């Protein structure tokens, strides 16, 4: 039981009458990288957002089923969603640093959580930037605007900002799709390092990226989970013809 950080049971989601996810059940292992692949509009990003209840922010959404994180159903009515989103951090497709200094971007979450001592904030900022593999690039620019950095650097600042509140799970929605190949490589190396401490779930359109970065891969199609397995199995010997057709480029 303890090997799975997230257990999803019969999860369905509708926007109005439009069914976006259909009876998804999945176990996501702890301190591994799980990739979600599938064509645009297949439900993978929607499913990712059910894991920290980001879909709650959208009007006219109906969600049925259960999502357990550490054996607690996050859709239970007593759940503190703010605490949930601290535990389950999210990195978006487009980097979205605040229009503040690098330092204030990273210190933002800890300050909200009541940490005000400068020496403690300094420690958290340095530690988080080091974890996000960007400390050496920004240590002399901590009080410059984060918006003055390159796209790839901004995305790593967003990762550091997420790490600063000490999450257990990191959701990444196409984190490198807007980046050049060198920046993408840095994000992929970072994912490899971070999984030693965090459970990482990544949505990607890039099949090679899924193959390179993930331990497990789940293939979605038209709101269904077609199959999930170890990444090497999905890419070399998938169990379903639909998966094979998608991976070999016959559709999608």
């Amino acid at each position: 039981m303890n090997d799975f950080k997230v257990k999803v049971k019969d999860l369905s989601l509708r926007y109005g009458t439009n069914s976006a996810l259909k009876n998804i059940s999945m176990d996501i292992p702890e301190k591994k990288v799980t990739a979600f692949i599938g064509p645009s509009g297949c439900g993978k990003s929607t499913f990712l957002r059910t894991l920290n209840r980001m879909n709650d922010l959208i009007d006219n959404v109906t969600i049925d089923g259960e999502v357990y994180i550490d054996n607690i159903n996050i859709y239970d009515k007593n759940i503190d969603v703010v605490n949930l989103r601290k535990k389950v951090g999210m990195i978006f497709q487009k980097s979205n640093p605040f229009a503040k200094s690098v330092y204030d971007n990273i210190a933002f979450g800890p300050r909200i959580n009541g940490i005000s001592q400068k020496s403690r904030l300094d420690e958290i900022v340095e530690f988080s930037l080091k974890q996000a593999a960007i400390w050496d690039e920004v240590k002399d620019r901590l009080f410059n605007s984060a918006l003055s950095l390159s796209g790839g650097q901004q995305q790593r600042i967003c990762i550091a900002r997420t790490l600063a509140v000490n999450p257990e799970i990191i959701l990444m929605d196409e984190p490198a799709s807007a980046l050049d190949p060198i920046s993408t490589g840095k994000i992929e190396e970072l994912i490899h390092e971070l999984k030693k401490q965090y459970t990482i779930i990544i949505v990607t359109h890039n099949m090679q990226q899924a193959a390179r970065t993930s331990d497990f891969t789940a293939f979605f199609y038209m709101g269904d989970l077609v199959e999930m397995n170890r990444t090497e199995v999905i890419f070399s010997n998938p169990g379903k013809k639909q998966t094979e057709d998608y991976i070999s480029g016959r559709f999608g």
Side-chain angles (χ1 to χ4, degrees):
M1 188 73 184
N2 297 339
D3 294 338
F4 294 115
K5 185 71 174 172
V6 183
K7 292 177 90 67
V8 180
K9 294 183 179 173
D10 297 324
L11 186 85
S12 295
L13 180 145
R14 293 188 307 281
Y15 297 114
T17 56
N18 174 29
S19 183
L21 296 170
K22 304 166 197 165
N23 288 326
I24 309 282
S25 293
M26 172 189 296
D27 294 339
I28 296 175
E30 186 164 21
K31 292 186 181 163
K32 301 284 184 197
V33 180
T34 301
F36 298 164
I37 62 170
S40 293
C42 67
K44 55 192 188 295
S45 290
T46 299
F47 180 62
L48 189 76
R49 291 195 299 269
T50 64
L51 305 179
N52 68 348
R53 292 186 50 174
M54 288 290 278
N55 292 311
D56 293 18
L57 307 172
I58 301 168
D59 289 339
N60 210 12
V61 163
T62 312
I63 299 171
D64 299 303
E66 299 165 335
V67 176
Y68 292 90
I69 295 179
D70 296 330
N71 299 329
I72 293 165
N73 182 9
I74 65 169
Y75 282 91
D76 192 87
K77 59 181 185 299
N78 305 322
I79 288 293
D80 179 334
V81 178
V82 173
N83 269 346
L84 170 69
R85 292 191 189 132
K86 188 175 148 193
K87 183 173 179 168
V88 187
M90 182 125 188
I91 310 295
F92 296 93
Q93 180 171 358
K94 187 171 181 335
S95 58
N96 58 345
F98 304 136
K100 298 172 179 283
S101 70
V102 169
Y103 185 99
D104 285 341
N105 263 274
I106 312 306
F108 182 84
R111 283 178 175 140
I112 284 182
N113 292 312
I115 297 171
S116 55
Q117 189 185 0
K118 184 175 181 307
S119 60
R120 182 76 191 104
L121 287 171
D122 288 351
E123 272 171 31
I124 292 169
V125 168
E126 180 171 345
F127 181 73
S128 304
L129 289 167
K130 281 179 173 169
Q131 270 196 305
I134 192 167
W135 170 252
D136 289 339
E137 292 165 59
V138 299
K139 63 177 190 256
D140 301 323
R141 305 161 68 182
L142 292 178
F143 299 100
N144 295 6
S145 169
L147 299 176
S148 68
L149 301 173
S150 72
Q153 289 173 323
Q154 287 187 24
Q155 191 64 298
R156 280 180 287 145
I157 292 294
C158 293
I159 293 170
R161 185 176 67 194
T162 297
L163 298 176
V165 295
N166 209 14
E168 294 174 24
I169 299 171
I170 303 172
L171 310 178
M172 297 186 165
D173 194 356
E174 301 268 2
S177 66
L179 304 179
D180 62 84
I182 290 172
S183 299
T184 297
K186 287 184 177 171
I187 297 285
E188 290 180 5
E189 281 169 29
L190 181 53
I191 290 168
H192 188 70
E193 277 302 305
L194 291 175
K195 77 172 181 185
K196 294 171 186 169
Q197 284 175 265
Y198 306 94
T199 301
I200 298 176
I201 305 163
I202 177 170
V203 165
T204 178
H205 269 100
N206 182 327
M207 228 88 71
Q208 290 77 20
Q209 185 169 73
R212 283 192 300 262
T213 61
S214 70
D215 302 288
F216 291 85
T217 297
F219 170 56
F220 287 81
Y221 185 66
M222 304 281 285
D224 288 308
L225 172 60
V226 177
E227 71 176 301
M228 177 179 179
N229 209 325
R230 290 195 158 276
T231 296
E232 65 267 24
V233 174
I234 290 284
F235 281 94
S236 63
N237 190 22
K240 302 275 174 75
K241 183 172 189 316
Q242 214 172 16
T243 312
E244 188 182 348
D245 286 350
Y246 180 69
I247 284 168
S248 62
R250 290 192 196 111
F251 76 95

